[in-house]
């Protein structure tokens, strides 16, 4: 398993460090996944970009206009577009960055990832501890549902109940499988 930091590249970061943008995007993930099919690539932050002040609203505006979210959509497209099965979206800090300030951004991000990657390639990020105890984020994810109108408009599946297949996979079984851990009963 190879964990790769992608995303979390604010507008301020782009102003200060414009040459680093190419490394924050997911453009290089496809080649790596194809060149090393025996490795799993865990893409931190699900490549979610907008974590600066007010930026989750930018991500939502982009999504509402185009049905896409910069870099998250690019990541979600990889399995279907390129036929690779060794790329995973790791959420945590990205979810925390938008679930409270702009819950529909979190819902859109999850809808995009679920539709493109499937429930078996999304994992809960351990980087959520940077925001203090992660329990509030876990509770937010457990309660999050993609709004029905968003599901209809974009062909998203609902996330379902806190103890349902999708959230159970995201919170634990996908990570356990990646690390060859037996599932606790």
């Amino acid at each position: 398993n190879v964990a790769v930091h992608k995303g979390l590249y604010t507008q301020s970061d782009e102003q200060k460090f414009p040459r680093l943008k190419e490394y924050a995007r997911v453009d290089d993930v496809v080649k790596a996944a194809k060149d090393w099919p025996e490795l799993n690539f865990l893409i931190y932050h699900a490549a979610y970009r907008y974590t600066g002040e007010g930026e989750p609203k930018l991500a939502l505006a982009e999504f509402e206009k185009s049905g896409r979210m910069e870099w998250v959509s690019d990541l979600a497209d990889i399995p279907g577009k390129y036929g690779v099965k060794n790329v995973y979206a790791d959420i945590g800090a990205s979810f925390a960055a938008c679930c409270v300030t702009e819950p529909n951004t979190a819902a859109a991000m999850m809808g995009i990832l679920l539709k493109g990657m499937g429930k078996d390639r999304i994992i809960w990020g351990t980087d959520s501890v940077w925001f203090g105890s992660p329990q509030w984020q876990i509770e937010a994810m457990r309660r999050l549902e993609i709004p029905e109108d968003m599901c209809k408009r974009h062909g998203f599946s609902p996330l379902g109940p806190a103890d349902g297949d999708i959230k159970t996979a995201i919170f634990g079984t996908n990570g356990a499988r990646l690390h060859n851990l037996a599932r606790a009963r």
Side-chain angles (χ1 to χ4, degrees):
N1 293 321
V2 178
V4 184
H5 186 282
K6 294 290 184 178
L8 298 191
Y9 192 73
T10 66
Q11 290 181 325
S12 173
D13 292 337
E14 187 170 6
Q15 300 261 327
K16 292 177 192 170
F17 313 106
R19 292 181 27 210
L20 297 181
K21 184 176 181 180
E22 70 179 287
Y23 303 108
R25 296 188 310 235
V26 295
D27 300 1
D28 53 357
V29 172
V30 173
K31 181 171 178 8
K34 285 185 168 190
D35 285 353
W36 292 288
E38 70 281 4
L39 298 176
N40 295 310
F41 294 89
L42 318 179
I43 307 304
Y44 278 3
H45 319 302
Y48 177 78
R49 178 176 183 181
Y50 297 109
T51 58
E53 182 67 33
E55 289 187 8
K57 287 185 181 186
L58 294 175
L60 184 60
E62 176 190 4
F63 172 74
E64 288 175 344
K65 182 178 180 182
S66 67
R68 296 185 59 79
M69 191 175 292
E70 191 171 20
W71 304 347
V72 171
S73 294
D74 298 332
L75 176 63
D77 290 345
I78 289 173
K81 192 173 182 180
Y82 299 99
V84 298
K85 298 182 186 310
N86 58 338
V87 175
Y88 294 79
D90 176 291
I91 63 170
S94 54
F95 182 79
C98 56
C99 72
V100 173
T101 59
E102 197 59 58
N104 280 340
T105 302
M109 179 179 73
M110 294 308 301
I112 291 166
L113 292 172
L114 187 60
K115 183 177 180 180
M117 303 192 84
K119 72 176 180 73
D120 295 331
R121 286 196 289 271
I122 304 170
I123 55 177
W124 185 255
T126 57
D127 64 332
S128 60
V129 299
W130 289 107
F131 297 92
S133 170
Q135 193 58 44
W136 69 269
Q137 296 162 59
I138 293 166
E139 287 304 317
M141 181 62 178
R142 289 173 54 86
R143 295 166 198 242
L144 182 71
E145 187 52 83
I146 301 170
E148 189 176 331
D149 63 324
M150 191 183 285
C151 285
K152 286 180 182 177
R153 184 172 178 209
H154 298 283
F156 295 158
S157 298
L159 291 172
D163 60 352
D165 289 345
I166 292 172
K167 291 178 183 173
T168 298
I170 292 169
F171 277 129
T173 56
N174 292 342
R177 186 182 67 252
L178 281 167
H179 296 287
N180 296 319
L181 302 174
R183 184 175 178 188
R185 302 213 185 260

